Amino acid sequence: DAGVTQSPTHLIKTRGQQVTLRCSPKSGHDTVSWYQQALGQGPQFIFQYYEEEERQRGNFPDRFSGHQFPNYSSELNVNALLLGDSALYLCASSFWGKPQHFGDGTRLSIL
Amino acid sequence: AQSVTQLDSQVPVFEEAPVELRCNYSSSVSVYLFWYVQYPNQGLQLLLKYLSGSTLVKGINGFEAEFNKSQTSFHLRKPSVHISDTAEYFCAVSEGRDDKIIFGKGTRLHILP
């Protein structure tokens, strides 16, 4: 049973560019959440998707946007990248009150 | 607003010794509490959770935690650590089972030989 899978594992971009990160939830899960983990910090909640709609959003600017597809997979898009966007981006999936399962993340480096 | 404070950024402990990682939380409503572990270059793995019921929660890898509502604490313990327990440990809180999770800044457990 595959867990949460994220792609790519590593990514290097330059300031001002745009990036798309992808997440496939654990089998049977229908809710996807995204978190940003800066170096030496705990993860911070970006937003959560359920039934293809954004259900909750953390304190992140509109440059961060997302999407959920009918098969429950999800994308995180970040526009106009800043140096401060360098972080590990974690995807988590869940189903009906069950604890969230996390993927191994995408490490994004901004030059 | 919810918040989580992990009182120690780093905890060194000798192998086979007991360890306690401290966590305090703040919330205006009933909460669910979690401990996650993060090994180098990996994502987060759920160690244990408190949703309701018994305040002593047992998790994987021999860890346990005790929920103390009056002290708003959820400390993690293990009676005897192994070198393989070297990792970053995150305490976290949520207001609902599917709700966003608020994490502490983490405690790095360093096992000494």
Side-chain angles (χ1 to χ4, degrees):
Chain A
D1 177 23
V4 179
T5 58
Q6 293 186 243
S7 63
T9 54
H10 294 86
L11 203 50
I12 300 174
K13 292 286 187 178
T14 57
R15 281 179 296 175
Q17 283 189 312
Q18 178 264 343
V19 68
T20 298
L21 311 182
R22 296 176 175 81
C23 172
S24 293
K26 181 179 170 64
S27 177
H29 287 190
D30 60 1
T31 302
V32 173
S33 302
W34 287 91
Y35 295 80
Q36 180 195 65
Q37 185 179 16
L39 199 62
Q41 300 294 318
Q44 286 197 295
F45 175 76
I46 303 175
F47 42 55
Q48 183 182 82
Y49 277 83
Y50 173 70
E51 292 189 340
E52 302 180 49
E53 294 205 355
E54 184 181 287
R55 181 159 70 176
Q56 285 187 306
R57 188 178 183 92
N59 189 25
F60 278 80
D62 292 344
R63 297 187 298 109
F64 289 77
S65 63
H67 189 76
Q68 186 179 35
F69 299 94
N71 67 353
Y72 308 119
S73 67
S74 176
E75 288 182 350
L76 163 64
N77 301 292
V78 186
N79 295 323
L81 287 167
L82 304 173
L83 291 178
D85 295 332
S86 294
L88 179 68
Y89 288 85
L90 295 163
C91 172
S93 70
S94 59
F95 171 74
W96 193 237
K98 300 296 184 185
Q100 297 180 20
H101 288 247
F102 284 79
D104 284 340
T106 293
R107 186 161 298 281
L108 176 62
S109 299
I110 311 300
L111 303 179
Chain B
Q2 303 166 81
S3 66
V4 176
T5 301
Q6 292 185 243
L7 298 159
D8 304 295
S9 59
Q10 188 167 272
V11 172
V13 61
F14 286 103
E15 196 169 11
E16 298 184 8
V19 68
E20 178 180 82
L21 306 185
R22 297 179 294 166
C23 172
N24 287 92
Y25 69 92
S26 171
S27 177
S28 58
V29 299
S30 296
V31 295
Y32 300 114
L33 294 159
F34 310 88
W35 275 98
Y36 283 87
V37 61
Q38 186 174 37
Y39 299 103
N41 300 315
Q42 292 188 25
L44 301 173
Q45 181 181 6
L46 181 66
L47 270 180
L48 49 78
K49 60 186 182 293
Y50 172 79
L51 304 179
S52 65
S54 173
T55 57
L56 183 62
V57 180
K58 292 191 183 297
I60 62 172
N61 301 341
F63 284 94
E64 64 180 31
E66 185 155 19
F67 170 57
N68 188 318
K69 188 174 181 179
S70 62
Q71 297 188 2
T72 60
S73 67
F74 191 55
H75 300 332
L76 180 70
R77 301 184 184 98
K78 186 171 182 178
S80 176
V81 297
H82 188 267
I83 194 73
S84 60
D85 294 321
T86 298
E88 190 91 19
Y89 292 79
F90 293 96
C91 181
V93 64
S94 172
E95 289 185 358
R97 297 189 183 202
D98 282 337
D99 203 358
K100 63 183 179 185
I101 298 176
I102 306 299
F103 289 87
K105 291 188 175 182
T107 297
R108 183 169 298 275
L109 180 59
H110 182 47
I111 310 299
L112 305 170

